[in-house]
Structures are given as structure tokens and as C-alpha cells.
Amino acid sequence: MLGVAPAPIPSWAKPNGPTKAVFSAVSLVEKPRGGPIEPIADTAHAAGVPLTYLLGWDWIPSNVPVIDAEHARGDDVQVVPSNLALARGAWPWFDPAISVLGAGMERRIDLTLAGKLGAFWGITWESNGVDGAFDRGTPWGLYCADPRSYKRPAPDGRCDLAGIEWTARDLTMAYESGHEDAYSTDPDDLRLRARLSPEAAAEYEREMVDAYAAAGQTKPLLMVAQEEASEFSDAQAVDRPIELALYEQAKRDGMTATTLANAVSRLAPTAAQPRVVAFPSLAVSGRYGPATIDAHDAHVGLTFTAANLMPARVFAYDRATTSARNVPIPQLSAREMPELLGVTARDGVLTLRFRAPVATDFGVAFWVDPALAGWTSPNVIPAGRAGAVAFFDLVPGDNTITLGCRACTAATFPYAGT
């Protein structure tokens, strides 16, 4: 921990230029709480944001004309694989692209592939039992999923199947608090689980959007905002200002607001590349923990807390050869974690020495603005303006890793914490 007192949000968590972040507002619609969908649709359209309706396993015929009318306003719909024929019959314009596979039951990736759908929605990032899902270790946002083991990235770098998270979360508070269900883009999560007032929740949403927009200045990313249509309808008097704050901030920050299917087509071509995102402490509910960096490539997932070089946890994707909704991604145990033996810098080269108990994919984080460090090694991936992560492999025993860095004249860096 860097302290427990409130601190200003660091400058790197606020956008200061164009962002490549893509924003998709979605609404899950399912029985027995099937609607109405008009209140959340009107809220999205008031902010100039299109909405994607995600229809669950129960088909609700009364929504057919309503969704048809909303489609004329720029909205879209995606369905569970078993309802593809019904959707094609209901809407001549229906273009299936995403399988709706939420928490609470096993995800039918086989039906997704059989329906020739190139993506599925419903991963609950960092979850550890809520609604029976244990998705801890699965990447956030949008990632290229392994069709044989959907919770991990495709090890061959292909993107035949994109995985999409349920809704974006505060990556730091979800990790620090152990209550990922409380700190998300869902207004009800913030009011009922995080216990924020509507006014505080609205400000929190704006800060969360800023953080994603800032992270998206160096790499494209997807921010999903999901709210069940029925829950919004039941509590719209208090939820509407929160939802509007979220939608309007995404537009204000310059995010591309689009349907979920269009977001997939935009982002999937580059989604197999290593991804790194820094997230600040937004100082809610009296907790003021350190910022975090989350990173992954095709073989390893990493979480770092500021201002630590070594990861707090390592997800071993190569061990996750199968996936089930109630089984998280395997992690390196404490006895398997590598030990850092030393770091030296000379003539623009940073040298790190490790001792590894087992062969592993690994990485370290540098909490310095990449523009100041001047990294020249291709395996060092920026985390916006907050830092960077170097990915590499370790063999059992002693290892030496060298990284090119124009500003590496010493083994210490100015911390990008403000």
C-alpha cells in the first residue's frame, strides 16, 4: 500500500488527447424480468449513444416491434445461439455476430461456434462466485479467446472467437476489495453493492470513463456498459442520472460509441496483441489502495500494484487447457514465483536477473511514463502514460533478461504516480 489517505487522481488516468477507446452500451433482456426496454433506450439516445439489446434464453415476442423501432434509431440486437432462427424471422435486418452467454449457467461455446458466431458476451472479469461464475484470471474488455478453452487467450494468436466481458469494472477496486460485483458500470451495483449515493455514483462513473479513455490513448480497448432493462426500468428515477453521466462522459472523452457488433469488428483484428492497462485508485467507500496494472499476452496474465516491479499474481494460461464457468484460471503458487536477484542499468540497457523454480511465462512492470523511459525492446508494452510491462519467458534456474531503454542510466525511475 502507498497509503490510506485520499489522493488526487493521477494525471495519467485523465485523457489529454484523442483516445482509441471504443464504448458499447448494452442491455440484457430476459425473463422473468423482461422489460420494458424503452426507459434505458431513451436514456442512451438522449446521450447520443446506440444501445445493443442482449436477449436471453427466453424469447419475449412483445419486444419484437419495440426493438424494430429502436433499430431505426441506430440500436442493435444479439441473442443466445438457440434463438438465432427466431431472431432471423423477427427482424429482416438482424445480423448475428455475438452469442449471449452470461453467468449462472455453463457457457455454450459449442453452440456459438456451430452458429458461426465470431464472438460471445458474458465473461465476468475477476468474479469469484457471484452468480456461480469463477472467471478470475480471464482478460478484461475484449480478447481473442481459445475456442477449446474460452477463458484464456488463443495461444496461436488467432481471433476466430472474441470474448467480451459482461460490463467494465474498476480494475483496481475489483481487485483490491474482493467485490468485483460492486465496482462496475452498472448503476445498481454502485448504489446497492458499493452503497454510493446517486450523486457520488455519477461522479464515480465519470472518473471510471476517464481512466479507460486515458488507457485507450496508446492502444485500442473496449469499454462495455451493461444494465439490465428491467432493473433500470424499476429504478430509473435514481439510475438515470448515473447512466447519463456514464454515457455522456464517454462521448465527452471522445470514445467511439457504437454497437457491440461494430465494436468487435473494429477491435478483433488487433485484439491478439499483448494488452496492458493501468487503472488508478478512484477513492471510493473509504478505501484508497494503490493503482494497478493488468496485463496479458497469449500465455500469461499479470496484475501489478503500484509501484511494484514484480507481479502480485500470475495467471498461467498454458495450464488452462479446458474452461468451465465454476473454475478460475490457474495461478502460479507462492513457491513457483520467480525471485528477482538484481537489476542493473548501463549504456541504455536494463539487465534483470531472476531465479525461477519452474519454467514460466512472466513479466515485470515499470511505473514510469514510457515516453520518458524510451523503451526500445518490442516486448515492452506501454500502459498508457502510467508505465509499461515487459513480457518474457523464464527457464528453471537462473535467468538474465535485457531490455533496451534510452533513458536507462540508473536502475531507478521517476514514479508516474501523479
Side-chain angles (χ1 to χ4, degrees), residues 258-276:
T258 189
T259 63
L260 196 57
N262 191 44
V264 172
S265 66
R266 283 172 173 263
L267 297 174
T270 60
Q273 298 173 3
R275 298 191 306 153
V276 182

Side-chain angles (χ1 to χ4, degrees), residues 313-385:
R313 59 184 184 179
V314 178
F315 295 102
Y317 290 142
D318 289 344
R319 299 181 186 180
T321 54
T322 61
S323 289
R325 70 179 179 89
N326 59 350
V327 180
I329 295 288
Q331 290 183 234
L332 290 192
S333 66
R335 66 177 180 274
E336 293 175 313
M337 287 289 284
E339 175 188 1
L340 179 65
L341 301 179
V343 182
T344 57
R346 182 178 180 182
D347 299 330
V349 176
L350 190 68
T351 301
L352 302 97
R353 295 183 298 110
F354 296 91
R355 180 164 296 151
V358 297
T360 183
D361 296 275
F362 201 66
V364 293
F366 302 97
W367 293 82
V368 58
D369 187 338
L372 295 178
W375 299 105
T376 58
S377 297
N379 60 320
V380 181
I381 310 300
R385 289 173 279 124

Side-chain angles (χ1 to χ4, degrees), residues 10-20 209-218 249 252-254 369 371 384-386 418:
S11 59
W12 55 257
K14 298 185 181 196
N16 65 352
T19 183
K20 302 173 185 176
V209 174
D210 277 351
Y212 276 102
Q217 288 185 241
T218 52
Q249 193 65 39
R252 189 175 296 120
D253 283 348
D369 187 338
R385 289 173 279 124
T418 59

Side-chain angles (χ1 to χ4, degrees), residues 31 68 120 122 141 144 150 163 199 213 241 285 315 322 365 378 383 386:
K31 283 185 177 179
D68 196 45
F120 71 95
C144 294
Y150 66 85
E199 296 77 16
S285 301
F315 295 102
T322 61

